[in-house]
Structures are given as structure tokens and as C-alpha cells.
Amino acid sequence: MIRNYIKIAWRNLLKNKGYSAINIGGLAVGMAVTMLIGLWIWDELSFDKYHQNYDNIARVMQHQNFNGEIGTQFANPAVLGQQIRDKYGSDFKYVLQSSWNFQHTLAYGEKKLLKAGSFFEPGVTEMLSLKMLKGTRAGLKETNSILLSESVAKAYFGNADPMEKILKIDNKVDVKVTGVYEDLPYNTSFRDLTFIMPWDLYLAQNPWIKEMENPWGSNFTQTFAQVADNADMEKVSAKIKNVKLDVLGPEERRYKPAIFLHPMSKWHLYADFKNGLNIGGRIQYVWLFGIVGLFVLLLACINFMNLSTARSEKRAKEVGVRKAIGSTRGQLITQFFSESFLVVFFAFALSLLLVTLLLPFFNETADKKILLPWLNPVFWLMGISFSIFTGLVAGSYPALYLSSFQPVKVLKGTFRVGRFAALPRKVLVVLQFSVSIILIIGTIVVYQQIQHAKNRPVGYNRESLIYVALNEVIHSKYDALRNELKTRNVIVEMSQSTSPTTEVWNTNGGFDWEGKDPNLGVDFPNNGVSHEYGKVIGWKIKEGRDFSRELASDSLAFIMNESAVKFIGFKNPVGKILRWEGKPYKIIGVIKDMLVESPYKPIRASLFHIEREQGNIIQLKINPNLAPSDALARIENTFKKYDPATSFEFNFVDEAFARKFGDEERVGTLAAVFAVLAIFISCLGLFGLASFVAEQRTKEIGIRKVVGASVFNLWTLLSKDFVALVIIACGIAIPLAWYGMYQWLQKYDYRTDISWWIFAAAILGAMLITILTVSFQAIKAAIANPVKSLRTE
Amino acid sequence: MIKITDLEKIYRTEDIETVALNKLSFEVKEGEFVAIMGPSGCGKSTLLNILGLLDDPDGGSFVFNNEEIAHYSESKRAQIRKRNIGFVFQSFNLIDELTVFENVELPLIYLNMKASERKEKVEEVLKKMQVMHRRNHYPQQLSGGQQQRVAVARAVVNNPKLILADEPTGNLDSSNGNEVMQLLTDLNEQGTTIIMVTHSEHDARYSHRIIRLLDGQMVLENSLI
Ligand SMILES: Nc1ncnc2c1ncn2[C@@H]1O[C@H](COP(=O)(O)OP(=O)(O)OP(=O)(O)O)[C@@H](O)[C@H]1O
Ligand SMILES: [Mg+2]
């Protein structure tokens, strides 16, 4: 029996090759998109789950009151971990202090590479449940030890045994390899932790940390914790709230630091804070793409249902005959479901092929390393239940609808499906186009927002600008290096600074000025730079002057941006005094605001002062008359000459700047791809439907031609129903899209307006696509010889 | 009004060639009522389609109102068609989705006539055809005779100079059939030229002249006046 059903279903597929292709193709594309989105969501939701203690791990963070607003940060004083352990030890399994995950030069003999890693307290191996391939998790107990990730170990030692080998870190200190751990997967927050050294080594390397007068005054390390097995994360978090506040003097209490635990399960998807509250983050994209995925699948199902019901008129006779010769309704339903499952089966197979082909591209666009889990039974279970679900949804309407035809009516010929009158079909087309139009509008708004932010004035010149990490060797020979590069005409100028121009690495409090509210705790980005910094980046002096090497008094001087002038409230800032940690600094100049941090946020009040001792970054303005590759080669040579032990690695400032748009651009690209696919699927459906309508109306078209209709008359006649539906879809989609995009834009302080032309473009686009799709069939029907169509009666 | 000379129509399918019209020649004057008769498959409908400018001849000449139109393009033929010719089909060929009124109104819409004027004309002709009381019904809700009267109404509503009727009574009983024949006769008396295909000797007697076809050729022409 089943075989018979499948045989007939198969014949039906073959008989209508065009429609079968549209059906299977459309459904396969829809399924492929849903599958990709499903894999993406799975990857997002399983972020960090690699760690066995996932549920108990947290980052210790703090809210502080800065400049009248609550800011949230993960930079903590280096003594915070010890303090928490001392006071609340029983609530935690581990409280671990760590450095930032930075690049360091690791040297083994002649082999020198820059690798990213951290200094961590030893419990990290247990906390992160590292899988040790060599050595044990006790490997960080000795001060001069290092644990390598598998890939770093491979890079240095190939297949040789790395254990007990000695590496030199940053040309300063020797460490012994005491273990190798499996690389942390790409979908973990610690994926860039490619080696780990003991925290004690960090302290030994930076003796100033232990000698700090006020260890609670600077936030420059991170703290991670694993709560005790039976502890409630939220309660523990509330408990430790005042652990820092309680030890502070009156001066620093103004910042009202509140310590809290941010659980690992929220690191990735709920990373954003606004005024002390967690406001989500990537989770909104998970929702967004989840909904899009469901809708795309729905669109594909709608096509399937639409095409099948449209074909029902042709098959009505078959149903009538089958019923007349004794087929029950149940048997007919089985027959139609067999057909729908056959289509779904082919579509599923095709979609697997599509996903396999598209995954590399998708991974690249989405910044993922997702693999198709061929061997995972859960994947298959989901894939198959998902197909069954699709088959049921897609097949139910035609199956139940077709099987309900009354045989007498069908056979006597009085049965009519009604050309296009069936309300459900109209609703489905409207739904389809609403989704497509929403996606079109969404894509345009995302791109506009990115463009808007890209066009934001940056206030300095990124051209021919590169930056290099500044180490101690270079630092000691800074002036000689600068002179040589300048006299050789390779660069225009070079400067050192504590932060690059595309990020803020350093903020300071402890400022005072005439008229300041004594209760206001302030904290400004405060870049310590060499005198030529402004010349290198080409900032724009609005008032006053730039730093000068000639004036020794500039060692106690600030240049500030316009936002700082506004915040502090000076009328004529140049010449005024700003006290920092009690010392009087003279304001010598005001620069135009520079875009340093997020292109979507307001620019912070920022300061610049002369600092020659503690630089992190060298920035160089390359001579624009040289070919960049040539200039870079010469710069590298010169650096090598002064510091042969370090490999020369540089970044272009404009590339670093462009990375600020990464997230939004990814969302934009994905949205665009989904929009195109949704439109493609909708068009397939429309095309199929239009051809059915044209076919059903052949006789009518013939009659109309006989009584005088022109091709144009008929084209309008056949297109206008569809156009009307698309207009209704626009009416539904536009308010929804407007509302959705308005909400999305609210999270950006610097945002574009949603202009009317976007909607006009979406309507026009949808209309054009509809007319083009429908016209093909309409014109074909309209120019057909009427004699033929009337003969078919 | 119509003059055809050596008119040919050949249908070619993959394996057979059917000569539907074989060097057919005759003339129809303005105001005539001509019946075309012959056995099934002799080419009557084919001829009517060509005379009605729905189809192309494969050879010969076709002069309509002193114009040689055998090789006119479809759009040009459509222009002539919608101003001069009305059709009545054996199977009515009404549009099921439109009401009686809308069906009859259709040719006027394609002539770009104003709505008020259309209403007037349609109602006038519906009254004449005695289907005015059915104006808001759909074709499926009418009897065969009523449907055929609506079809005639649609054919005459734009006052064509020529009416082509393909077995207008074929699907009707004799009383309905006579009614339709009477309608055509009335129209003819008012000056409309009529060419009608029929199998019924009885109906043919309403005409002025009978052209008899066999295998695409004229075999006899007898005048009834
Ligand atoms: N599209 C076509 N393709 C092939 N042959 C055709 C086609 N149309 C008509 N014919 C053939 O041409 C011949 C004439 O057909 P036509 O329809 O004109 O006959 P008729 O005289 O109207 O017959 P009836 O009285 O049965 O309606 C027939 O042999 C028919 O089979
Ligand atoms: Mg015929």
C-alpha cells in the first residue's frame, strides 16, 4: 500500500517537473537557511559550555559612579581577589586574579612568535577544567612555569616533547613548560588564552604592584571566581557588594564601587550594561535570527501549500474519480501526505547539500567555526523531526483540503476552486511578502546605521598611520630610533602613548578644579603621550596650542577635547588650572573631539598629558610619498636593528578602526543574505502561483481577447490581484518594521534617522519584483492565441 | 464587406497535416445573413475564426471592408475586431466570475467608454434580450437559453457591423433556439451582417443564403431569397 502511494507520488512529481522543482528548491533553500540559523543559535547558546563548571564560574565586576553616571567594568584592583577570599572564602571554590590577555613574545632558541596569553592564579586549570594533554593541572605551582595550548606547543616544538623545555618571555625571563592543554574551542570566551603563566610571575615581573601606596586606587587586573558547589550565585553576588567600598578612604568612596558576579552563562549573550543594569546584548540577535529562521521556513512551507492548493483544480477530477471508485477520505489524505513527505525528503537531502556548501561562507560572515555535526544523533533527530514537522505543516492544507472535494460536483464540472478567490491563499501571499518587506527594510536600516557611524567625523587623520607595541628595549632607544626613521625620510613623525588612538586603555580619577561639585567622582580617559602625538595623528587644535619639547613646563600641562571643556564647564579653558592628584596642570590647548571608542556612543571627556616613561604604543605616520610596502620594510629593518630579539608586528590604525563595525556589519550581511533568500523564496512561490492562475484563467483570457482586450489590458488584469496583495503586505510590514528598527536603533546613542525613502524603496522594490515575476506568466498568457484556449473547453 | 479568395488553412501536428480550408472563395455583402453548413470536421469553425480575425490563414486573400488583412499583426487585427465584430459561441463562453451585467459590459470597457454610457447601453441590450431581471446573476445560475441570450447581448452591445455565430442554438432546446434565431433575424433586419454556422436545416432557413462545405471546400451555395 505504502509503495503504491509513493509510486503515485513519485509519478506526480515527475509529471509536473517545473512545479516540483519550484517546490523542492524553495523548500530546500528555506530548510537550509533554517538549519544554518539553527546551528548558529546552537553555537551561541552553547558558548563557554565547554567548561565543566560553567554554571558556577563568574567574572567579578564592579559598578562605579563616574561623572554622574554608573559605569560597569571588569578591571579590578590587583588585591580584590585576596580580599574576597579573606572575607567570603567559604562561598567560593576559587577566586582568581589574572592579568589582561595580551600578546607576548615567546622565544625558543631562534624561534620567536607573538602569542596571546595571561598570568593567572594556579586554580585556573581546575576552574576552566582544562584538558591536559601533557603534564597535570598542578602545572602553575612553580613561579617560572608555563602551560601551553596544544597549537602553541605545536608551533614551537612540532612533534617533539615540549615538557621541561625553557621558553624566554618578552626577552626577560625564562619559564619552563610544565603542561600542554587542549586548545580552547572557538566558541569560548577564553579562546585567545593560548598560554598561561603564574600570577606570581606577574607580580615578580612588576614589583611596583606590591609597592603601590594605594592598591585599591587602580583597576588594572581581572578577577574570576567559581562559587562553592552548593552556593547560590545571586546570593553570593549580593553578599560581596561592598567588599571594596568597605576598605576605601573618603576620597575614593565617592565612586561608590559595587562589586558583583557576572555569571559565565551571561558573558556572551548578556554582556551590555547601561547605568548599572544588565540590558542584554547579543541575545537580541539570537532572538532576531531565530524568528527570521522560523519565518523563512514558514515562507517555504507557505509556497508548498500555495502551489499544492493552486494545483487542486487540476487534481479535483482525480479526487472525484478516486472517490467515485471507492477511495476513502483517509486514503486520499495518506496519498497527499505521501506526496508532501516525498517533496520534503528531497528538499531535506538538498538542504543538507546546500548547508555543506554554504557553511564555510557562513562561518566567515558570522565569525564562527561551526561544523556540521554529522555524527551527532541529536542533530539527526532534530533534522528528521524538523522534516516531519515541515511535511505535516506543508502537506496538511492540501491534504485536508483536496480530500474534502465532493465527487459529484467535481465530476459534473460545477465545482470551481475560484480563480484566486480562496482567502487562505491570499493570506499566505500577504504573509510571505510582509516578511520579505520587513527583512528588506531591516537590512537597509542596519546598513544605514553602519554608514551613518562610518561617516561620523573622527577628528584625526587615519591615513598612513600604523601602531606597534612599545617594549622596554625600544623604549630605552626611543629617540635614536625616531631620529633614524625621520632622517631616512621613512616616516613623517612618530609618537608614543599609553593608549592607541582607537581604544582607551587608561582612565584616571583624582581630578579637581575650580567650581567642581565636591561629591562628584570623576574619571576621564587620560592618555599619556609624547610631544609629537598630535602631529602624528593630525588632531585639530581648536584653541591654544599643541605640546612642545621646547617648553619644560609642558610636563605639567593638559590638552583636552571639546567634550571635556563642556563637562568641566570652563568658559575660557586655555590657561586655567586642572589639579590631578593635587598637582596643578595647566590647560594649554583644546582639540576637536576625536572618535576613539565606539562609533555609536557619545565621545567621553578626555585628557592628554606628557608621559615619557610608561608608554605601551608607538604610532608612526608613514611618509605618504613612499610605497607602503617599501616604507614598512624599512621601518621593520630599523626596528630590528634596535631590537633584534622582537618580531616586528604592526597594525594599521584604519583597520583597527574598521573592526569597530564588525558586529554590526556581520548582522547587516546576515540580514541581507536572509532578505535576499526570503525574497527569492517568495518569488518562487509567486511565480508558481502566477502560472497557475494564468493557466486557470486561460479560458477567461481567451474570451476577453475575443471581445477586445489588448495584451496590456490582460497584463494589468493578471497582475493587479498580486499587486493588491503586495500593497496590503506593505501596509502590514511597514509599521512592524518601523517599530522593530526604531527599537533596535535605541541602543545606539549615535544613530541614524529612519527616513521615509527606505519605506518607499521597499514598497517599490517589492512591487517591481512582484510585477516582474508575475508579468512573465501574464504576458505569456496574454499573447497566446485565443482560438487555442477556447478550443480547450 | 467580406471577400475571400483561395483561402487556405492547414493544421500541422507532428505526424499529420490536416487541410482544414482548401482554396475557399466567396463573398458576403453588407446586410446579408449567411448560414454555413457541413458535416463535422469540414472546417466551419476554422473558417469562422479566420473571418473573425481570431486566427491567421495560411494562404489566399481576405479582404475586410476593402482592406486586405490576411497578414495583419495580432494587435492590428485586435483593433479591427473590437470595433466591428461580435461573436456568439456554441458553448456561450461567458466568464464565470463575472455577473451577467459585467459580461456584457466587457467589450465596452475595452472600447474605453464612460461608465454611465456603458450602463445605459448594457441595460438597453439586456432588456432587448429579456435578461434584464438576471443582470446580477452569475452565468452558472442561468439556464442554457438565458446564457446564450447573454452571449448574444455581449456580441451586439457595441453595435458591430458583423456578427459571427458558431452553432448559436447547438446547446438549446427548440423553443430557446427559435428565440435566439429570432433575435439574430431582428438584428439583421436592423442592418447587421450575420454569418452563422449551423447543423440545423431549420435554423438555416432564417438566413438569406446557405454555403455548404465539405473537407474545406465549398460544394454548394443556395440562395433562399
Ligand atoms: N488546432 C488544431 N490542430 C490540428 N487540427 C485541427 C485543429 N483545429 C482543427 N483541426 C482540424 O481541422 C478540421 C476542421 O476543424 P473545425 O473545427 O473547423 O471543424 P468544424 O467544421 O467546426 O466541425 P464541428 O461541426 O464538429 O464543430 C478538423 O479535421 C479538425 O480535426
Ligand atoms: Mg465547430
Side-chain angles (χ1 to χ4, degrees), chain A residues 791, chain B residues 11 13 18 20 39-46 167 199:
Chain A
R791 274 190 66 91
Chain B
Y11 291 113
T13 49
T18 315
S40 186
C42 68
K44 304 182 296 291
S45 297
T46 305
E167 298 182 41
H199 285 291

Side-chain angles (χ1 to χ4, degrees), chain A residues 187-209:
Chain A
N187 64 347
T188 59
S189 303
F190 285 106
R191 68 186 179 202
D192 291 328
L193 187 71
T194 63
F195 65 85
I196 309 172
M197 290 183 288
W199 175 249
D200 282 346
L201 183 61
Y202 187 63
L203 295 179
Q205 287 290 298
N206 300 282
W208 55 271
I209 296 175

Side-chain angles (χ1 to χ4, degrees), chain A residues 595-669:
Chain A
L595 185 56
V596 173
E597 295 177 280
S598 164
Y600 308 109
K601 292 212 169 108
I603 289 166
R604 284 204 267 175
S606 311
L607 306 175
F608 299 85
H609 64 282
I610 295 298
E611 166 63 71
R612 298 295 309 275
E613 290 315 308
Q614 288 190 1
N616 296 314
I617 287 288
I618 293 181
Q619 296 198 115
L620 304 109
K621 178 86 171 176
I622 300 174
N623 181 350
N625 300 322
L626 291 178
S629 56
D630 187 22
L632 286 168
R634 292 197 210 176
I635 293 171
E636 175 164 11
N637 279 339
T638 318
F639 267 79
K640 274 266 148 72
K641 188 170 131 195
Y642 285 87
D643 178 16
T646 307
S647 58
F648 177 77
E649 308 233 356
F650 67 93
N651 278 288
F652 281 104
V653 171
D654 54 0
E655 283 173 7
F657 184 80
R659 281 195 283 274
K660 294 179 186 299
F661 299 91
D663 259 0
E664 277 70 20
E665 278 186 333
R666 264 193 284 284
V667 171
T669 314

Side-chain angles (χ1 to χ4, degrees), chain A residues 127-142:
Chain A
M127 183 178 81
L128 297 183
S129 56
L130 297 181
K131 296 205 176 95
M132 302 307 296
L133 305 173
K134 294 251 162 65
T136 67
R137 287 184 179 170
L140 289 174
K141 294 267 151 71
E142 282 172 57

Side-chain angles (χ1 to χ4, degrees), chain A residues 787-788 791, chain B residues 9-13 16-21 36-49 55 90 166-167 197-199 213 215-216:
Chain A
V787 178
K788 289 212 179 91
R791 274 190 66 91
Chain B
K9 180 74 186 178
I10 300 159
Y11 291 113
R12 286 187 184 85
T13 49
I16 357 171
E17 223 176 56
T18 315
V19 182
L21 295 179
I36 296 176
M37 297 190 74
S40 186
C42 68
K44 304 182 296 291
S45 297
T46 305
L47 173 63
L48 217 58
N49 287 337
D55 212 353
Q90 174 180 7
D166 195 349
E167 298 182 41
V197 167
T198 183
H199 285 291
L213 297 186
D215 292 340

Side-chain angles (χ1 to χ4, degrees), chain A residues 22 35 91 115 202 225 317 397 493 526 585 674 692 724 784:
Chain A
I22 289 179
M35 220 182 282
D91 291 310
K115 295 285 173 192
Y202 187 63
K317 194 143 201 159
Y397 187 56
E493 189 51 273
N526 186 12
Y585 281 67
F674 293 146
F692 272 118

